[in-house]
Structures are given as structure tokens and as C-alpha cells.
Amino acid sequence: MSELKEISSNKIFNGYQKVFSHQSKELSCEMNFAIFLPADSAEKKLPVLYYLSGLTCNELNCVQKSGFQRYAAEKGLIVVCPDTSPRNIEGLDTKDFSWDFGYGAAFYVDSTTDAYKKNFRMYSYITSELIDVINSNFNVIPNKQSIFGHSMGGHGALIAALKTGLYKSVSAFAPISNPINCPWGEKCFTGYLGDNRESWKEYDATELVAKYNGPPLELFIDQGSEDQFLKENQLLPNNLIEAAKKAQVPFIYKLRDGYDHSYFFIATFIGEHIDYHAKHLL
């Protein structure tokens, strides 16, 4: 297990918001993650809630903008926020990188294309290596974990829950729900997974829920009605909801009137999401 290096530590709501770095074996680079540790985390083991951020983000966006710490402190939940991609890969050809592909945009898949398969393995990082790092270094209850996220991170949370059965609950703010059928997904999946669209389905929540046969799982989807990316058909939540209905997978879908894609939307409702996960974890 790689050694952790503490980058920062700030007291908040009697707990600590910290950032650590470590050398990732899956991604072959140094990675950062943020972790909120409630006041009693040193004395007793606590459940863990993982949060995955969206395009252009890193480990600090949720930490600095959502206000989740107040609610996590009240419920006694450790919250882990990883970065959204590998970073600063020496020798990597980045000529095709942009705000929606490459650094900050790894889409939580394990790449199979020659250019990216060594480093862009965020699915395995999130669902295996990071969990091992957290379980080995912090006072957590093994196998008591849930996951949520926003946009690209909502996609990541949904596929992680649907593919692994590792999480007690899952929720998503404005997730990219059917990436094989939206411009963001088509761009990233072509780059990371190649041209075989059948292989893309293994990282698409709409496709995965249609054949889900894992432990009982409910999908909690939160969506703003004035989200610009909803209107541009990047998110496609209705495709996911229809697939869940047909597969008889239970879901909660809340369309929030007037809210957009920003962290103002997330900050408004993140307390409700923390409470939802706490009911499954505590």
C-alpha cells in the first residue's frame, strides 16, 4: 500500500477536512483525494460516503462549494472526494486533450486504447484501489460504504454501484445517464475505449440497469429543470428512468424547478442526499 502524504488539514464542524496524496498503482501517477473526518472518527469506526466530481473538477470542488461537511458531521459519516483523472503524466501525448477529454475528464472508465490504457483506469481506481487506501489508513467500517456524484461523477457513481454491488446506496446530481448516446460520452468513449460501441455499454448506467441482477439497489436521481446540459441532451435522465422501470429497479427521480447544473443546485440539496445515504449506512 502506498504511503499517504498530508497536503492540507482544516478544522470544520469539530472534524477535519484533509487532503492527501499517494502514488497510485492503477493510474501510475501521484493522485490526490480529499477526506472529511468527523470529530469522533479517531475513537470509533465510521461508514464512508464517496463523492465523484464532474468534468473539469478535481478533489476540491465539492469540498469548497457544496457545504456537505455540516451534514456529514451531524450524521457521523466519513466523506471521500477523489480527483477526476490521473494528472501530469510524463511522456503522455496530450494534443487531443480539452476541457471534456483528458485531464479532469477521465469518465470513470478503464481505458483500453493504446494511448491511455496505462494511466486512465479510473474505474478500477475508484472501485478497488481507493477503497483499499481508505480502509487501510482510516477508522472505517469495512463494507459500509455508499457513493454519489455530479454530472460525469454521477455517471461514475451509478456505474460503480450497478457493476460492483459494493455500495449500500447510490445517488446522483444531474448524472450523464446514457453516455453512449450523448456527445460527451461519444467523445470520451471513442478516445478511451475505441470504436466498438458494444464495449461502451459496460460503462453506461442505462444499459447496466436494464440487465441489473445484483443486491437490492435504489437509484436516487436529482435533476435541475433549468440545467443547460439537460436541454442539450447531454444527460438523458429519462432514458435511465425508463430502463429502470422496465427492469423493475426502484428509483427516486426529483426534478427541481428552476435549478441549473451548478454547485448552487448541489449545495441546496446535498443535505437531503447525505440524509438518504445515512439511512442506508447507519
Side-chain angles (χ1 to χ4, degrees), residues 163-180:
K163 285 169 72 68
T164 67
L166 290 173
Y167 306 94
K168 301 298 183 184
S169 54
V170 60
S171 71
F173 293 98
I176 302 172
S177 299
N178 190 196
I180 67 173

Side-chain angles (χ1 to χ4, degrees), residues 4-274:
L4 298 187
K5 177 183 177 182
E6 188 172 302
I7 304 298
S8 64
S9 178
N10 300 94
K11 190 170 185 178
I12 180 170
F13 297 112
N14 293 317
Y16 283 91
Q17 180 63 65
K18 295 176 179 282
V19 176
F20 291 91
S21 69
H22 73 109
Q23 187 66 31
S24 168
K25 293 181 180 178
E26 286 289 353
L27 307 177
S28 299
C29 70
E30 189 171 30
M31 287 292 287
N32 287 356
F33 65 86
I35 184 168
F36 172 70
L37 300 169
D40 56 352
S41 63
E43 287 76 41
K44 65 178 182 179
K45 293 182 181 294
L46 298 176
V48 185
L49 179 56
Y50 290 87
Y51 178 89
L52 307 183
S53 288
L55 291 166
T56 76
C57 294
N58 58 28
E59 73 280 358
L60 294 177
N61 293 75
C62 182
V63 166
Q64 296 173 339
K65 296 179 179 180
S66 73
F68 77 82
Q69 294 93 344
R70 176 190 298 272
Y71 308 103
E74 291 172 355
K75 297 297 183 182
L77 299 180
I78 292 172
V79 180
V80 177
C81 305
D83 200 352
T84 55
S85 78
R87 301 277 180 174
N88 304 315
I89 308 300
E90 187 175 350
L92 185 66
D93 185 356
T94 60
K95 69 178 185 301
D96 294 326
F97 282 14
S98 61
W99 71 272
D100 59 354
F101 182 78
Y103 294 149
F107 241 86
Y108 302 104
V109 303
D110 282 351
S111 177
T112 56
T113 55
D114 289 342
Y116 306 113
K117 64 184 181 182
K118 179 182 177 182
N119 303 105
F120 281 71
R121 296 181 48 79
M122 284 297 292
Y123 175 76
S124 288
Y125 177 72
I126 293 300
T127 60
S128 181
E129 183 178 10
L130 182 62
I131 292 174
D132 288 343
V133 168
I134 300 303
N135 288 353
S136 298
N137 288 280
F138 300 96
N139 206 16
V140 305
I141 304 173
N143 302 317
K144 271 286 186 115
Q145 59 213 10
S146 291
I147 192 165
F148 67 152
H150 171 230
S151 194
M152 179 186 72
H155 143 79
L158 289 169
I159 64 168
L162 289 165
K163 285 169 72 68
T164 67
L166 290 173
Y167 306 94
K168 301 298 183 184
S169 54
V170 60
S171 71
F173 293 98
I176 302 172
S177 299
N178 190 196
I180 67 173
N181 289 316
C182 78
W184 282 339
E186 290 177 349
K187 179 177 181 176
C188 285
F189 283 8
T190 300
Y192 299 135
L193 303 175
D195 295 325
N196 180 4
R197 296 180 69 97
E198 282 298 310
S199 70
W200 298 4
K201 293 179 180 180
E202 290 304 310
Y203 295 104
D204 184 299
T206 298
E207 295 289 335
L208 291 169
V209 79
K211 60 181 181 181
Y212 183 72
N213 62 356
L217 185 69
E218 180 180 68
L219 311 182
F220 177 10
I221 310 300
D222 221 326
Q223 177 64 59
S225 68
E226 297 306 306
D227 188 322
Q228 63 271 36
F229 301 117
L230 177 67
K231 297 177 179 181
E232 294 172 8
N233 292 321
Q234 294 281 17
L235 306 178
L236 305 174
N238 290 335
N239 293 2
L240 175 62
I241 296 309
E242 287 304 312
K245 284 180 182 177
K246 290 180 181 178
Q248 297 185 316
V249 174
F251 65 88
I252 299 167
Y253 180 53
K254 297 196 174 184
L255 186 63
R256 311 287 193 171
D257 185 46
Y259 286 89
D260 59 19
H261 199 72
S262 71
Y263 266 87
F264 296 109
F265 162 54
I266 295 171
T268 303
F269 300 108
I270 199 161
E272 188 173 326
H273 283 246
I274 298 285

